[in-house]
């Protein structure tokens, strides 16, 4: 199990890289995260929902997605509450206190999913959540040491030296563990180091002497490494040769912002997430993202004056795309008769598409493919649907999706050709579709990334680095099939 001294210490990346190391050696390995809190999610083949980090880790293992890889997913919808998703299905919304009381009921189910993943595999790599030193959350813990103790899983603790204070992070985390928890810790990993590792040697010796725990390795900072973010928006830009300006309003409950990674990494695109309080800058294209609370985020958009800036953008001939919740916002109205997002009510949309949306209790969850039609040409698309809304559309629908033998239209394109919406997450990941949408918005070069190949290349690059920097024999001792 890989645990971290902080959030974003490198747990997700470390598990993905180690999964690829084992998979390349022919070891049958599966990723696992008992509890995840994230608004970026992925859809499994059987219509379940798991954290996006586990989807990347599954790709590293060359495995199809399974709800057992992330049996508990929390999707925050307010500052104090979240939708609780158990084995891929939403059960109810809870506040933090109610969920803390509910956790003891989940441990047995989490361990059962862990056992199911063990069938037919030689190794399971587990990702923790946050930090095991959060002593206020130790009771009923299923995400870190609580799980490790129950499953008797050895633990390595990773810290990000790029944040500073790495020895305090590692020593402090270890010192706050109970004696039984300390016995599970087999090593430390220092992540994202820049410079000559010999400068760390005295500190590494001190840490081992103080704790009795070895440092398994120091992983270098990998410039330009791309793996999908678990939750926090990644502002990394890989190429400064930017020409085409795309703006994404940073909504309070923005979800699945990994939709825009293909654009963020595009060598001819300058993608900007706009922070609360900042005006929307001049742009060629505005994209309204997905949202975990569409009505609340639409109200926030209006409160920030972004609706008026969007109207100005359109008057000046700009283009707009809405993805999922952003698509719903572009319509005439959003009706919530069941109180899916809070109080039962209806709100007016931005009125740029002749679309009305009703929020239903049951989510649509599908892995899906199809074709996009623009300017008389068709382009393959694939991705996933994950939404509670059902929309009635009285516009041209530019996308045809196929699920098994069923074909159905998706999205809307307004008559003046300025506003387009779709429920399809991942629509920019296919290079031809991405190029077509950028061409529609006014960018005339075809330079889109092949996102599937990009993930593969970066997983292999990460695995190469871990093979060079970690004592893998110490880490993987006892794993069937492992050989250096």
């Amino acid at each position: 199990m890989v645990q971290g001294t902080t959030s974003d210490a490198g747990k997700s990346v470390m598990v993905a890289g180690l999964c690829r190391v084992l998979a390349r050696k022919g070891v049958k390995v599966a990723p696992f995260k008992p509890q995840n809190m994230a608004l970026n999610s992925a859809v499994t083949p059987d219509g379940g929902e798991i954290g996006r980090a586990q989807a990347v880790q599954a790709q590293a293992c060359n495995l199809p997605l399974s709800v057992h890889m992330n049996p508990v997913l929390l999707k925050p919808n307010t500052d104090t509450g979240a939708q609780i998703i158990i084995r891929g299905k939403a059960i109810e919304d809870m506040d933090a206190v109610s969920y803390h009381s509910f956790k003891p009921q989940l441990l047995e189910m989490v361990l059962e999913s862990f056992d199911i993943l063990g069938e037919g595999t030689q190794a399971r790599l587990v990702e923790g959540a946050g930090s095991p030193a959060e002593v206020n959350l130790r009771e009923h813990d299923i995400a870190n040491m609580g799980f490790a103790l129950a499953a008797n899983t050895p633990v390595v603790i990773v810290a990000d030296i790029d944040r500073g204070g790495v020895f305090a992070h590692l020593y402090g985390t270890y010192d706050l563990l109970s004696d039984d928890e300390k016995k599970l810790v087999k090593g430390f990993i220092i992540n994202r180091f820049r410079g000559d590792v010999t400068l760390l040697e005295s500190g590494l010796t001190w840490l081992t002497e103080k704790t009795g725990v070895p440092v398994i390795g120091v992983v270098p900072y990998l410039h330009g490494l791309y793996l999908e973010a678990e939750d926090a928006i990644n502002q990394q830009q890989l190429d400064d040769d930017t020409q085409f300006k795309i703006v994404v309003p940073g909504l309070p409950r923005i979800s699945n912002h990994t939709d825009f990674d293909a654009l963020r990494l595009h060598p001819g695109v300058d993608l900007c997430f706009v922070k609360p309080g900042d005006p929307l800058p001049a742009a060629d294209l505005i994209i309204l993202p997905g949202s975990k609370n569409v009505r609340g985020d639409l109200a926030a958009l209006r409160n920030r004056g972004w609706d008026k800036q969007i109207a100005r953008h359109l008057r000046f001939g700009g283009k707009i795309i809405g993805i999922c919740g952003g698509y719903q916002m572009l319509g005439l109205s959003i009706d919530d008769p069941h109180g899916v997002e809070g109080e039962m009510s209806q709100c007016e949309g931005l009125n740029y598409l002749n679309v009305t949306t009703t929020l239903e209790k049951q989510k649509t969850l599908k892995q899906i493919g199809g074709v996009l039609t623009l300017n008389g040409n068709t382009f393959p698309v694939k991705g996933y649907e994950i939404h509670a809304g059902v929309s009635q559309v009285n516009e041209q629908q530019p996308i045809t999706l196929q699920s098994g033998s069923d074909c159905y239209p998706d999205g809307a394109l307004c008559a003046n050709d300025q506003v387009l919406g779709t429920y399809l997450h991942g629509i920019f990941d296919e290079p031809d579709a991405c190029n077509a949408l950028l061409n529609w918005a006014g960018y005339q070069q075809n330079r889109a990334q092949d996102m599937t190949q990009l993930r593969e290349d970066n997983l292999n690059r990460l695995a190469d680095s871990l093979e060079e920097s970690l004592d893998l024999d110490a880490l993987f001792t006892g794993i069937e099939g492992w050989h250096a």
Side-chain angles (χ1 to χ4, degrees):
M1 185 175 192
V2 178
Q3 299 185 13
T5 57
T6 61
S7 294
D8 205 30
K11 298 182 292 291
S12 298
V13 169
M14 205 61 57
V15 170
L18 292 172
C19 282
R20 178 50 61 94
V21 168
L22 288 172
R24 293 198 307 194
K25 296 290 187 180
V27 177
K28 296 178 181 178
V29 57
F32 183 76
K33 185 162 185 171
Q35 173 190 289
N36 199 346
M37 178 178 284
L39 289 176
N40 286 339
S41 57
V43 177
T44 63
D46 58 355
E49 190 175 357
I50 63 173
R52 193 129 201 99
Q54 281 62 65
V56 175
Q57 292 160 4
Q59 181 176 344
C61 299
N62 303 313
L63 289 179
L65 307 189
S66 166
V67 296
H68 297 294
M69 293 173 177
N70 176 207
V72 180
L73 175 62
L74 313 178
K75 301 190 80 171
N77 47 21
T78 69
D79 288 343
T80 59
Q83 183 179 64
I84 313 300
I85 297 168
I86 306 298
R87 285 187 178 167
K89 300 300 181 185
I91 57 166
E92 61 179 296
D93 291 354
M94 292 185 185
D95 60 29
V97 174
S98 298
Y99 177 69
H100 188 65
S101 299
F102 180 58
K103 280 196 292 185
Q105 303 175 45
L106 297 177
L107 181 58
E108 183 177 348
M109 183 274 298
V110 165
L111 290 170
E112 183 182 44
S113 283
F114 186 59
D115 289 341
I116 289 170
L117 275 187
E119 298 172 2
T121 62
Q122 296 163 292
R124 288 157 291 174
L125 293 184
V126 186
E127 179 188 340
S131 163
E134 293 165 348
V135 294
N136 57 310
L137 300 177
R138 177 171 286 161
E139 186 181 15
H140 307 320
D141 171 51
I142 63 171
N144 288 299
M145 284 298 181
F147 172 82
L149 286 167
N152 193 29
T153 304
V155 172
V156 292
I157 299 176
V158 60
D160 179 2
I161 197 171
D162 206 46
R163 295 170 177 262
V166 70
F167 294 111
H169 282 174
L170 287 168
Y171 180 73
T173 298
Y174 183 80
D175 195 51
L176 286 168
L177 302 179
S178 70
D179 289 343
D180 286 343
E181 292 167 346
K182 288 178 180 177
K183 292 176 184 176
L184 293 177
V185 180
K186 305 305 179 186
F188 298 126
I189 295 174
I190 292 177
N191 189 29
R192 305 182 84 213
F193 178 68
R194 309 172 194 242
D196 186 344
V197 73
T198 60
L199 297 174
L200 283 180
E201 286 180 356
S202 61
L204 303 180
T205 300
W206 174 89
L207 183 64
T208 299
E209 289 175 350
K210 292 289 287 186
T211 63
V213 176
V215 177
I216 291 175
V218 177
V219 179
Y221 190 106
L222 297 178
H223 292 274
L225 180 73
Y226 165 73
L227 288 178
E228 289 173 317
E230 182 171 59
D231 206 35
I233 293 174
N234 189 338
Q235 297 282 8
Q236 179 190 47
Q237 187 75 42
L238 297 189
D239 195 313
D240 292 328
D241 180 22
T242 53
Q243 304 166 16
F244 191 75
K245 183 75 171 182
I246 300 178
V247 165
V248 180
L251 303 174
R253 301 296 167 193
I254 184 173
S255 65
N256 292 79
H257 59 72
T258 50
D259 284 339
F260 310 117
D261 283 358
L263 301 174
R264 182 174 59 80
L265 299 170
H266 192 294
V269 166
D270 177 12
L271 181 80
C272 169
F273 288 92
V274 181
K275 295 182 291 187
D278 289 350
L280 301 182
D284 300 289
L285 172 65
I286 294 175
I287 305 180
L288 297 188
S291 166
K292 189 64 188 72
N293 191 317
V294 180
R295 293 187 299 141
D297 277 356
L298 179 55
L301 184 149
R302 287 184 165 123
N303 289 338
R304 295 169 184 176
W306 286 344
D307 57 333
K308 296 180 177 61
Q309 293 161 34
I310 288 170
R312 183 176 184 272
H313 168 81
L314 288 172
R315 287 199 302 272
F316 283 21
K319 298 287 184 87
I320 293 181
I321 295 175
I323 307 292
C324 198
Y327 168 36
Q328 295 171 351
M329 293 178 196
L330 291 170
L332 304 178
S333 64
I334 302 167
D335 187 15
D336 189 357
H338 309 292
V340 173
E341 294 186 343
E343 295 182 3
M344 294 179 288
S345 66
Q346 184 182 76
C347 70
E348 183 180 1
L350 296 173
N351 291 298
Y352 295 123
L353 291 172
N354 192 349
V355 174
T356 58
T357 298
T358 301
L359 301 183
E360 302 289 353
K361 294 179 180 179
Q362 189 68 34
K363 279 187 182 181
T364 297
L365 292 162
K366 293 179 182 177
Q367 289 186 351
I368 202 77
V371 295
L372 165 70
T373 302
L374 283 176
N375 299 321
N377 297 310
T378 60
F379 309 91
V381 292
K382 65 179 180 180
Y384 58 99
E385 291 184 73
I386 179 169
H387 55 91
V390 175
S391 296
Q392 300 296 318
V393 182
N394 293 298
E395 298 274 20
Q396 175 186 344
Q397 294 195 266
I399 298 171
T400 300
L401 297 176
Q402 184 165 4
S403 177
S405 59
D406 296 331
C407 291
Y408 57 95
D410 170 71
L413 179 63
C414 71
N416 69 5
D417 201 41
Q418 278 188 275
V419 181
L420 185 152
T422 177
Y423 274 121
L424 185 63
H425 292 285
I427 192 169
F428 298 109
D429 285 7
E430 291 296 302
D432 289 346
C434 184
N435 286 328
L437 289 164
L438 291 176
N439 292 166
W440 169 82
Y443 180 70
Q444 297 307 314
Q445 297 185 44
N446 294 328
R447 303 170 68 189
Q449 294 275 4
D450 182 332
M451 295 302 289
T452 300
Q453 188 60 51
L454 185 65
R455 292 186 196 100
E456 281 294 307
D457 292 344
N458 280 275
L459 284 167
N460 285 322
R461 181 186 172 204
L462 175 60
D464 290 343
S465 177
L466 298 186
E467 287 180 347
E468 291 178 3
S469 56
L470 299 182
D471 183 352
L472 294 176
D473 283 335
L475 195 63
F476 292 147
T477 296
I479 290 180
E480 180 186 353
W482 165 254
H483 56 90

